[in-house]
Amino acid sequence: MNTASPKMLQCSDMTVLERQNACLKWQQEQLQQQQQQEQQSYFSELSGVFSSQVQGFQGGLVSGDSVLGDMVMTRQVKPDPGLETAWHEMEKVDMAAMGFGPCGYSNGPDFDMNYAISRTSSCPTFVAAAVAAQAVEVKGKESIVSEKMGSTVGRGSFKKRKVDTLQNSKVVAEDDSKRIKACAEEGESKITGPNTNKSSSSNNKNKKETSTGTSKENSKVSDVQKPDYIHVRARRGQATDSHSLAERVRREKISERMKYLQDLVPGCNKITGKAGMLDEIINYVQSLQRQVEFLSMKLAAVNPRPDFNIDNLFAKDVFPSCATNFPAVGMSSEMANNPPYVQFNPVEQVVSSCGLEMGINSLDMALRRTISAPVSIPYASFLDSSCFTQIQPSATWDVELQNLYNVAFDQEGSMPFPSQPFTGTLLEKQNWGPELI
Amino acid sequence: MRPPSSLKQEFLKKWITGLQRCSSSKRNMSILERTKAIKLSADVAMASARNSTTCWSRALIANASKDGSDGKHLVEQILGLESERLMMKKASTGALVCNKRIRSKKILKRSCRIPRTRKCVPQVALATSIAKRMVRKRTQVLKSLIPGGEFMNEVSLIEETLDYIISLRVQVDVMRGLAGVSELVNHN
């Protein structure tokens, strides 16, 4: 709770800074144009800036644009009427203080104006106090106004920063409904907690940004009065009771899982929508299951006994090489006790996509070497084969490979090597079609 | 997530032990019997590689070791002590959880039958209902595909699908490699 307000202020500071910079730049242009009436132009512009700031907030509310450029535009329009009304305000406001107003809390790079102001002002000491007071005032106003703007207006940098503050600081909701929403979101973030923080936070950010993006600009006016970030998230016309909230959380979970599935199932990138995705998933699962059946039939056909004469295979030094290559496929990072699907990173994709090729390639290489080269194949040359370049081997992998390779060498029998040169890839032979039996 | 290499290795080891054990029991098997044995041992090995962390693996092993089926001995042999642990787990938690889920779904269905008054444009309602029906059909099909899928809600169904797809892929890779190697060996 305490962390929320300074962060809000920081947000508002940044936006104010940006606005300040834009204002100052515009003011400099104005200065160059109106060099005749220096003093008057300074004060008028200052007053114009100041008044336009105050007016600009209200103007921003009305105009409904939170993007900085647009605000600059409005402010460019404003000061002309602002100039006229400025003199009235100048009477009320201390001019020197006003002069320091912009430079008091603007740390922007355009300081020429500020130096000019410092030259013209006469009493800096109690100006500072006044400036501080005003700065606080203005900041307070701005924070409230920025909240209002954020709640009424539906897009832009405000939104993103507020999403960040909401994520970083668990906002204390003022109403029960808001608390429920916060809890739902917290719960959601906790559920996705076991995921890597980066992926979950990015996912959350994306989700929340999309949800805020979909919230329409013309949200109800009643939302304006409550300075609350969670209202930004509520879509228009949607109930805020716990049922629909829970449902929304559930739906978002499902869509997140569907995204993982999209990465996993090939050819799903173009398909949006649940039904099509489910179709593809069903087809893929069915095809994989059919593959397993065909392969088991093929294995049964090839071998007279189900144990495949494994001793012979081991003796031929071909089988263990394919078994040893499997650790090469693996990754060095291991997660413990997480649900298996969770760590679905691009690395896994790479592995799973090239795992097959690597397995086959390794078999291929192993067979070629057993055919052509003598038995004492150097360990290093085997490692240098191209299929290992994609994945960095870890230290444990080296040790494993070496051990298994030594074992394989020990078990080698006197079986003759296959004489046929093995040229084609194994994949060509893997047509699990009717040629089996 | 376990790296796929260790998954493949584990699957391979368990599968080979299973095959050896099942070949030791019967000497002469027809090709269909062998197919079944191979597939069964592969599936059981795959499921046990998950160490019963996922629902589908438990369901698969449970189905394989049903009383009166061929696979029971196989499962017991492959898993050994693990099978007893799995059976204990299943008996205690699985049935209860499944029954709870079924009951809660029935309650939900009954509550949904109570008509809700909605103000919808009829065209929109039609489109959404059609879409919902399509999605429901497909989830039904998916549930039938994945072992033990009937008892899951949507979210866990998708998670299980993910895991199942990964393990199926591993299975296919290993089997394909083995098939290629053994074919080559047997040609010469």
Side-chain angles (χ1 to χ4, degrees):
Chain A
M1 183 174 150
N2 290 326
T3 57
S5 42
K7 280 187 180 169
M8 268 163 42
L9 289 175
Q10 283 172 17
C11 285
S12 56
D13 273 346
M14 287 170 66
T15 60
V16 165
L17 274 172
E18 290 179 16
R19 268 184 261 132
Q20 286 293 326
N21 291 337
C23 290
L24 288 170
K25 280 175 190 168
W26 172 80
Q27 284 162 29
Q28 281 182 334
E29 289 172 22
Q30 289 285 326
L31 264 181
Q32 288 164 6
Q33 289 174 10
Q34 302 172 3
Q35 278 181 2
Q36 296 169 6
Q37 304 169 356
E38 283 194 25
Q39 288 255 334
Q40 275 192 351
S41 68
Y42 272 122
F43 284 119
S44 65
E45 277 150 18
L46 282 173
S47 64
V49 164
F50 197 80
S51 61
S52 66
Q53 279 172 358
V54 177
Q55 287 180 2
F57 298 135
Q58 298 152 7
L61 275 177
V62 170
S63 66
D65 278 327
S66 67
V67 180
L68 192 59
D70 294 334
M71 289 185 65
V72 174
M73 289 297 294
T74 58
R75 212 162 290 114
Q76 281 177 358
V77 172
K78 280 289 177 179
D80 288 333
L83 272 173
E84 295 168 0
T85 60
W87 294 111
H88 302 285
E89 289 188 356
M90 271 174 67
E91 291 167 24
K92 299 173 196 170
V93 180
D94 188 10
M95 283 171 52
M98 217 167 55
F100 268 102
C103 77
Y105 51 86
S106 74
N107 306 320
D110 303 329
F111 268 41
D112 302 336
M113 184 80 164
N114 294 332
Y115 292 141
I117 294 165
S118 65
R119 264 184 273 123
T120 55
S121 70
S122 54
C123 35
T125 50
F126 61 87
V127 163
V131 163
Q134 273 190 356
V136 170
E137 250 186 49
V138 174
K139 274 186 187 174
K141 273 191 231 169
E142 286 177 359
S143 62
I144 293 170
V145 166
S146 60
E147 284 175 34
K148 287 185 188 175
M149 291 185 71
S151 59
T152 54
V153 179
R155 54 192 163 92
S157 53
F158 282 116
K159 248 320 142 74
K160 287 187 185 174
R161 282 193 208 103
K162 288 193 180 162
V163 167
D164 289 342
T165 57
L166 184 63
Q167 278 184 334
N168 297 332
S169 63
K170 322 243 163 142
V171 176
V172 173
E174 292 178 2
D175 296 345
D176 284 340
S177 64
K178 296 165 200 169
R179 213 171 288 140
I180 290 168
K181 282 182 207 172
C183 289
E185 253 119 21
E186 279 182 28
E188 186 181 2
S189 60
K190 275 177 198 163
I191 288 165
T192 58
N195 301 351
T196 54
N197 287 330
K198 284 182 190 173
S199 65
S200 71
S201 63
S202 62
N203 277 338
N204 278 338
K205 273 185 192 171
N206 292 337
K207 266 188 283 174
K208 280 167 188 171
E209 281 178 358
T210 52
S211 69
T212 54
T214 53
S215 73
K216 309 218 169 136
E217 287 182 25
N218 44 354
S219 58
K220 295 179 185 172
V221 180
S222 58
D223 293 340
V224 176
Q225 291 152 9
K226 307 174 194 174
D228 199 72
Y229 296 129
I230 299 178
H231 272 279
V232 167
R233 227 162 296 257
R235 296 179 197 170
R236 190 201 175 162
Q238 215 177 46
T240 56
D241 60 338
S242 54
H243 285 296
S244 51
L245 265 172
E247 214 181 288
R248 184 144 45 109
V249 167
R250 176 180 156 272
R251 255 184 279 141
E252 284 178 1
K253 257 198 260 181
I254 287 179
S255 61
E256 192 190 335
R257 308 284 191 269
M258 297 289 270
K259 275 185 211 159
Y260 284 134
L261 274 171
Q262 237 179 358
D263 297 332
L264 197 55
V265 176
C268 258
N269 304 322
K270 302 155 193 171
I271 297 174
T272 53
K274 252 190 190 176
M277 277 289 308
L278 282 170
D279 236 358
E280 288 294 321
I281 291 165
I282 287 169
N283 286 334
Y284 192 58
V285 169
Q286 277 175 338
S287 74
L288 281 174
Q289 284 176 337
R290 263 183 256 135
Q291 278 189 41
V292 169
E293 271 191 54
F294 278 133
L295 280 169
S296 58
M297 230 193 288
K298 184 175 186 180
L299 281 167
V302 162
N303 299 282
R305 294 169 61 204
D307 58 350
F308 307 152
N309 298 326
I310 286 167
D311 299 329
N312 292 341
L313 287 174
F314 268 110
K316 287 212 180 202
D317 187 23
V318 171
F319 188 65
S321 55
C322 81
T324 58
N325 284 322
F326 291 142
V329 176
M331 302 179 285
S332 51
S333 63
E334 284 201 41
M335 325 298 174
N337 287 338
N338 279 335
Y341 69 92
V342 163
Q343 295 298 338
F344 194 75
N345 296 323
V347 187
E348 216 287 310
Q349 275 181 323
V350 169
V351 170
S352 60
S353 62
C354 70
L356 179 61
E357 289 91 61
M358 291 192 47
I360 300 299
N361 280 342
S362 57
L363 277 172
D364 182 282
M365 298 295 286
L367 287 167
R368 278 204 202 125
R369 286 178 194 271
T370 51
I371 290 163
S372 55
V375 169
S376 59
I377 299 163
Y379 176 61
S381 65
F382 194 75
L383 274 180
D384 289 343
S385 58
S386 58
C387 49
F388 299 141
T389 54
Q390 295 179 27
I391 292 186
Q392 303 160 7
S394 58
T396 56
W397 165 68
D398 293 340
V399 173
E400 264 182 71
L401 256 185
Q402 198 149 27
N403 290 337
L404 285 163
Y405 212 72
N406 293 335
V407 164
F409 274 134
D410 293 338
Q411 285 185 353
E412 194 197 351
S414 59
M415 304 287 283
F417 292 126
S419 55
Q420 288 177 14
F422 180 72
T423 50
T425 60
L426 281 172
L427 276 169
E428 294 169 9
K429 300 200 171 191
Q430 300 299 332
N431 297 326
W432 16 268
E435 63 170 28
L436 292 175
I437 308 165
Chain B
M1 174 177 173
R2 223 174 297 162
S5 70
S6 71
L7 188 63
K8 279 184 179 173
Q9 275 189 306
E10 213 177 317
F11 167 63
L12 198 58
K13 277 186 230 164
K14 291 193 172 165
W15 188 27
I16 288 165
T17 51
L19 285 169
Q20 283 173 334
R21 292 223 180 105
C22 101
S23 72
S24 63
S25 59
K26 287 185 187 177
R27 285 292 153 182
N28 296 323
M29 283 199 267
S30 71
I31 193 163
L32 284 172
E33 283 179 358
R34 263 185 276 147
T35 318
K36 275 189 195 168
I38 290 168
K39 183 164 186 290
L40 183 67
S41 51
D43 289 340
V44 170
M46 200 67 246
S48 70
R50 282 292 175 210
N51 286 329
S52 68
T53 47
T54 51
C55 187
W56 69 266
S57 56
R58 286 191 293 253
L60 207 150
I61 290 173
N63 285 335
S65 55
K66 270 185 197 161
D67 289 334
S69 75
D70 302 328
K72 196 172 184 192
H73 298 292
L74 195 64
V75 174
E76 282 171 8
Q77 281 167 1
I78 291 178
L79 300 174
L81 287 167
E82 280 183 47
S83 68
E84 292 173 21
R85 186 169 50 88
L86 285 168
M87 292 311 138
M88 295 291 286
K89 258 196 188 179
K90 181 228 171 191
S92 60
T93 60
L96 284 170
V97 172
C98 296
N99 287 336
K100 264 190 202 170
R101 283 208 185 110
I102 293 168
R103 250 185 285 140
S104 60
K105 280 187 181 168
K106 282 183 185 167
I107 293 167
L108 234 155
K109 279 180 191 168
R110 252 175 250 151
S111 66
C112 286
R113 271 185 226 142
I114 299 165
R116 284 189 218 160
T117 56
R118 274 190 191 162
K119 294 177 186 173
C120 287
V121 182
Q123 295 159 336
V124 175
L126 189 63
T128 48
S129 64
I130 288 173
K132 279 187 189 171
R133 220 178 301 150
M134 282 170 68
V135 170
R136 224 179 300 152
K137 261 194 213 171
R138 287 176 173 86
T139 43
Q140 284 297 319
V141 175
L142 193 59
K143 282 183 181 179
S144 66
L145 278 179
I146 295 182
E150 302 90 22
F151 307 119
M152 306 178 203
N153 58 350
E154 267 200 40
V155 182
S156 46
L157 181 69
I158 295 179
E159 295 174 10
E160 298 289 324
T161 314
L162 274 167
D163 194 53
Y164 190 58
I165 286 176
I166 291 172
S167 13
L168 273 178
R169 264 205 204 157
V170 165
Q171 210 173 358
V172 165
D173 290 348
V174 172
M175 287 176 92
R176 202 180 274 177
L178 196 58
V181 167
S182 55
E183 199 184 303
L184 280 168
V185 164
N186 284 340
H187 275 327
N188 308 304

